[in-house]
Amino acid sequence: MTASEPTTAQVRLRHEIAALPPYRQGRPAPADGFKLSSNENPWPPIEAVEAAIAQAATEVNRYPDATALELRQRLAERYGVTPDEVLVGAGSVSLLAQFVLAAAAPGDEVVYSWRSFEAYPGLVTVAGATSVQVPNRADHGHDLDAMAAAVTDRTRVLIVCSPNNPTGVPVTADEFERFMAAVPADRLVLLDEAYAEFVRDAASVDGSSLIGRHPNLVVLRTFSKAYGLAGVRVGYAIGPVPILDAARSTAIPLGVTAVATAGALAALEPANEAELLGRVDQLAERRDALRDALIEQGWAIPAAQGNFVWLPTGERTVEVAEALFEGGIVARAFPGDGIRVSVGEPESVEVLLRLLKELV
């Protein structure tokens, strides 16, 4: 019998995994359109980063450093910690999976705001734990008081996403301090700051200022967005060594490639980083201008501190998303809730505003 021949037996899979919708990327943009569905950085890699990646690619026949030590050392210097307090993974979502696996088992609970990053439910289910989704406030931000109140004896992990993906609303520093004071110190708190570099609201929480202050807090960031390295997959976490060691134990070996490490190290070189963060400044300005223009059109756009804006289209979500697609804009639709639109090229903003003016 070959693998292609039918059988009467059915492989026994975990029923909750078989029923779990897989993570899906946004559909491709039309040839003459714009893909604004994945919060990608619209600029191509800068020359120095591209060269570093190309050089690393000449040695892909060799295994990479499994611990990404050089990158951990560079990040440790930046944040005033030891290399053991830094964990590098294949993007921050990979690290989130490791921490959830390390802390939550079947029968345990993971608390997070909803709607938030669409990968959270899947990560929790894969760990065998149970999601506790706390509804966003009316302004589309986290209700941290309600999240803290949702903690039970079964709670093992709480995830805070700031700025929240996909709504863009940040958590303030004061809100987060009260939250950490309310959460028991033996429950793991993950502060997911994938869009931290785009934040321009001075009241927002800044995980880098909290390092070492809470024994149950881990801060996660990524090179995918601000640094334009989404395609090579590299992110990092900073936190107490015992928590990071537990997460290291759950990692798939050799998950971070030498190409990814080389790109991240090149991006952190002062001159290169200055150029990259200059691009971030432009995107933040473009985002603010886009939000202002949409509000002027009549859209109820919440605070936007990522590299995207949120359209709370509710029951009209599918209708609006299809109209955008037909006009050449691919956005990320969450049926029944809204549409997330990445801030892309200036030309894409012009098209987006023209289309949304007709749909408001």
Side-chain angles (χ1 to χ4, degrees):
M1 181 174 62
T2 67
S4 61
E5 293 179 13
T7 66
T8 56
Q10 184 173 358
V11 174
R12 297 182 181 182
L13 303 174
R14 287 172 54 192
H15 66 87
E16 67 272 26
I17 299 298
L20 182 68
Y23 179 85
R24 300 189 186 280
Q25 290 180 285
R27 53 185 171 179
D32 57 348
F34 299 94
K35 182 173 179 282
L36 305 180
S37 57
S38 298
N39 292 346
E40 296 158 330
N41 192 314
W43 275 279
I46 63 172
E47 185 175 340
V49 172
E50 188 174 353
I53 289 173
Q55 177 59 40
T58 65
E59 300 181 7
V60 294
N61 57 308
R62 305 294 184 187
Y63 285 115
D65 170 12
T67 70
L69 177 59
E70 187 177 356
L71 179 55
R72 288 192 295 117
Q73 289 173 329
R74 184 78 62 85
L75 291 167
E77 292 173 3
R78 165 166 299 200
Y79 292 103
V81 298
T82 67
D84 287 341
E85 294 171 281
V86 181
L87 176 61
V88 174
S92 57
V93 67
S94 172
L95 293 168
L96 284 163
Q98 291 175 230
F99 286 110
V100 172
L101 283 169
D108 294 335
E109 296 176 345
V110 178
V111 177
Y112 52 89
S113 191
W114 196 252
R115 173 169 293 275
S116 192
F117 182 31
E118 61 194 293
Y120 294 159
L123 299 180
V124 176
T125 300
V126 169
T130 300
S131 286
V132 177
Q133 298 180 342
V134 178
N136 289 335
R137 299 180 310 227
D139 68 353
H140 304 282
H142 281 31
D143 187 340
L144 290 186
D145 291 338
M147 287 179 64
V151 173
T152 69
D153 290 341
R154 296 171 59 191
T155 305
R156 294 295 177 270
V157 183
L158 299 99
I159 306 174
V160 176
C161 184
S162 183
N164 185 43
N165 174 20
T167 65
V169 181
V171 169
T172 70
D174 290 343
E175 288 171 339
F176 194 75
E177 282 296 332
R178 292 195 302 271
F179 174 75
M180 291 302 297
V183 172
D186 61 351
R187 314 303 163 89
L188 175 60
V189 177
L190 302 175
L191 178 57
D192 184 356
E193 292 190 305
Y195 301 91
E197 293 84 359
F198 296 94
V199 174
R200 295 297 180 269
D201 183 350
S204 297
V205 66
D206 178 359
S208 65
S209 69
L210 301 174
I211 293 169
R213 290 179 52 188
H214 300 283
N216 59 332
L217 175 65
V218 173
V219 177
L220 299 101
R221 293 192 175 182
T222 183
F223 287 92
S224 295
K225 313 301 182 182
Y227 292 87
L229 293 176
V232 297
R233 312 305 303 129
V234 57
Y236 60 96
I238 302 173
V241 173
I243 300 175
L244 267 59
D245 281 347
R248 288 185 177 99
S249 298
T250 69
I252 297 174
L254 303 167
V256 181
T257 67
V259 169
T261 300
L265 285 168
L268 290 174
E269 288 295 325
N272 299 337
E273 186 172 34
E275 182 175 352
L276 289 166
L277 294 183
R279 294 176 171 183
V280 170
D281 288 338
Q282 292 183 57
L283 283 173
E285 292 174 3
R286 195 175 301 163
R287 172 202 68 205
D288 293 344
L290 171 61
R291 178 173 182 263
D292 290 344
L294 289 172
I295 290 174
E296 186 175 349
Q297 287 184 359
W299 291 96
I301 308 297
Q305 290 295 306
N307 65 339
F308 53 89
V309 296
W310 175 249
L311 303 171
T313 45
E315 295 180 356
R316 293 187 63 209
T317 295
V318 173
E319 169 203 343
V320 174
E322 286 301 319
L324 290 175
F325 183 77
E326 292 173 5
I329 296 289
V330 179
R332 194 56 166 265
F334 300 89
D337 290 330
I339 300 171
R340 187 192 68 199
V341 188
S342 308
V343 179
E345 304 85 346
E347 299 83 2
S348 71
V349 173
E350 294 176 7
V351 175
L352 178 66
L353 287 173
R354 174 175 53 78
L355 293 171
L356 289 176
K357 186 176 182 179
E358 300 170 357
L359 294 166
V360 66

